[in-house]
Amino acid sequence: MNYSYVSHLYCPKCSQTYSTKEEHHLCPCGSPLLVAYDLDRLSRNFTAEDLVKRSPDLWRYHELLPVQQKENVISLGEGMTPLLSMNTLGQDMKIPNLLMKDEGIIPTGAFKARGASVGVSKAKELGIKEIAMPTNGNAGAAWSLYAARAKLNSTIVMPVDAPRITRNECALAGAHLFLVNGLISDAGKIIAQAVQEKGLYDVSTLKEPYRIEGKKTMGLEIAEQLDWQLPDVILYPTGGGVGLIGIYKALRELIELGWISSDQKLPRLVAVQSEGCAPIVEAWKQGLNESSFWENSETIAFGINVPKAIGDFLVLNALYETDGCAIAVDDASLLKEQERIAQLEGTFVCPEGAASFLAARRLKEENWIKEDEQVVVLNTGAGIKYPDTVDCEVPILEPGDSL
Ligand SMILES: *Cc1c(COP(=O)(O)O)cnc(C)c1O
Ligand SMILES: [Zn+2]
């Protein structure tokens, strides 16, 4: 039995293949690279029942992950997050079978930990010394903390407006941290130049192939937690779209493995964006295979403020292939939804997660989601990472006052 059944890298655009034994970033044709596994051999050696006794973290799926030597795994216990019933909120939306995959309780408080764990582990396996990335906050926090655990250096550039806590996490982890007076796309240009000049290992979204493998474990977990019966709809707050691409990839691999039967319909995947930054929604509405740069993007849901995603064609393909859709919601309404969720369900979701719940509500109103359907919403992070999105006025008492 191998620890990993990884076989090679391939380009989804031009089909060129590459080895996983050496460093690769984008294909020369400009496309991100994806990881392929020897699923045929794995399906003969291993079954879903073998998972039962594994540890409750994403490395339980190590055969379907790219790290070849167990000793290279850098883990903080990420993964196997709860899939919670949201009964009261579901009644309120008239989607009784509403579930939340809650990534708010993962190390670093955002699901970026999944991509960081797998990406940093693989970087270590490849002998990398220093990683570099632009970030809207959560990815930089996760990657610099996991890099610290792996004894790798990290260089991070993030917008000055990124959530302050993520800045502190990077600094505390000892990253070479810089702020840019601009957007993640501006940070990206600065990193690209530094990568060229200083030979750093570029771990920008989809510029290394392994982050997506970490994020795909959300799809593996949802399937396992539902006993290999897929839900009807999965909603995902989409920035770079890595999670959505990953979930789609996971479901395809599970079908190929025979762990879910091929006559099961894949869930309709929904890309949720903010009205202040909705390039994927715009492209989907027009039936296009690529998005255009979204000028002057702005949203409080910082994790989905990505004006142009390098993997947009993969996101759109996943939407088309699953009869999914893309939908944008406004910031004011998503904040109201965030409050409603806290009051009805006792959970403080992040703004990106709240956007996805609101999208479910809207799609039910439009009858795109039916009342009898099972719907999974990804809450990609903890609300407590964004304390400033909550505005509250609280009466202040003097000692001895009564209520
Ligand atoms: C990064 C991020 C997203 C978007 O993730 P992608 O996979 O890049 O689309 C959503 N929510 C939160 C909290 C994030 O940090
Ligand atoms: Zn290519």
Side-chain angles (χ1 to χ4, degrees), residues 84-93 95-99 345:
L84 297 171
S85 159
M86 299 291 269
N87 214 260
T88 312
L89 185 70
Q91 299 292 343
D92 186 59
M93 289 186 192
I95 309 174
N97 205 347
L98 179 68
L99 300 168
E345 296 286 3

Side-chain angles (χ1 to χ4, degrees), residues 24 50 63 72 74 137 156 192 196 204 239:
H24 286 289
D50 297 323
E63 286 89 351
N72 291 323
I74 302 297
I156 311 281
Q196 286 245 312
S204 309

Side-chain angles (χ1 to χ4, degrees), residues 127-402:
I128 302 301
K129 298 281 178 278
E130 179 156 359
I131 61 164
M133 71 172 357
T135 174
N136 271 334
N138 285 332
W143 282 74
S144 52
L145 284 159
Y146 278 85
R149 191 166 169 92
K151 301 182 178 62
L152 305 184
N153 294 320
S154 48
T155 291
I156 311 281
V157 182
M158 69 169 73
V160 279
D161 294 333
R164 212 182 174 86
I165 182 72
T166 62
R167 183 195 294 186
N168 295 350
E169 289 174 275
C170 295
L172 200 67
H176 308 292
L177 173 66
F178 302 89
L179 303 178
V180 61
N181 238 324
L183 295 177
I184 189 170
S185 41
D186 301 300
K189 285 176 198 144
I190 295 169
I191 286 290
Q193 194 180 346
V195 162
Q196 286 245 312
E197 288 170 0
K198 304 182 186 200
L200 308 179
Y201 181 66
D202 192 347
V203 297
S204 309
T205 306
L206 294 182
K207 287 195 185 165
E208 61 84 50
Y210 304 108
R211 181 200 295 215
I212 200 174
E213 296 303 299
K215 291 194 173 184
K216 113 184 153 182
T217 58
M218 290 186 289
L220 301 176
E221 288 175 21
I222 290 170
E224 186 180 355
Q225 289 171 314
L226 292 175
D227 208 15
W228 313 106
Q229 300 295 313
L230 299 178
D232 297 294
V233 178
I234 298 178
L235 295 100
Y236 180 80
T238 302
V242 186
L244 199 136
I245 300 166
I247 290 170
Y248 179 63
K249 185 173 189 283
L251 300 177
R252 298 278 304 260
E253 287 175 358
L254 290 176
I255 286 180
E256 226 179 302
L257 277 172
W259 294 8
I260 48 184
S261 67
S262 54
D263 45 288
Q264 271 196 62
K265 217 171 153 309
L266 286 185
R268 303 186 325 267
L269 299 178
V270 179
V272 179
Q273 299 200 297
S274 162
E275 282 177 6
C277 182
I280 299 287
V281 178
E282 208 43 52
W284 177 79
K285 278 187 183 158
Q286 297 178 33
L288 303 175
N289 294 320
E290 264 181 49
S291 63
S292 306
F293 189 91
W294 190 275
E295 298 291 343
N296 304 318
S297 67
E298 196 183 354
T299 168
I300 46 159
F302 227 83
I304 54 176
N305 190 348
V306 180
K308 165 77 182 164
I310 189 169
D312 54 359
F313 66 102
L314 295 170
V315 176
L316 287 158
N317 177 58
L319 302 184
Y320 298 134
E321 288 292 321
T322 61
D323 296 319
C325 73
I327 178 171
V329 297
D330 67 279
D331 280 6
S333 307
L334 77 83
L335 287 178
K336 286 207 196 84
E337 191 68 39
Q338 186 187 40
E339 185 176 356
R340 201 179 292 128
I341 296 164
Q343 294 179 359
L344 293 182
E345 296 286 3
T347 168
F348 185 5
V349 302
C350 64
E352 297 84 352
S356 299
F357 279 105
L358 177 57
R361 182 184 294 280
R362 295 271 160 82
L363 290 171
K364 174 63 184 60
E365 285 163 4
E366 293 170 16
N367 212 27
W368 191 90
I369 290 175
K370 306 282 186 292
E371 185 150 3
D372 61 349
E373 290 188 309
Q374 185 178 51
V375 175
V376 173
V377 172
L378 267 300
N379 174 44
T380 41
I384 50 173
K385 284 198 89 172
Y386 309 67
D388 302 335
T389 57
V390 181
D391 235 352
C392 60
E393 295 229 354
V394 185
I396 299 178
L397 307 175
E398 295 304 325
D401 282 358
S402 50

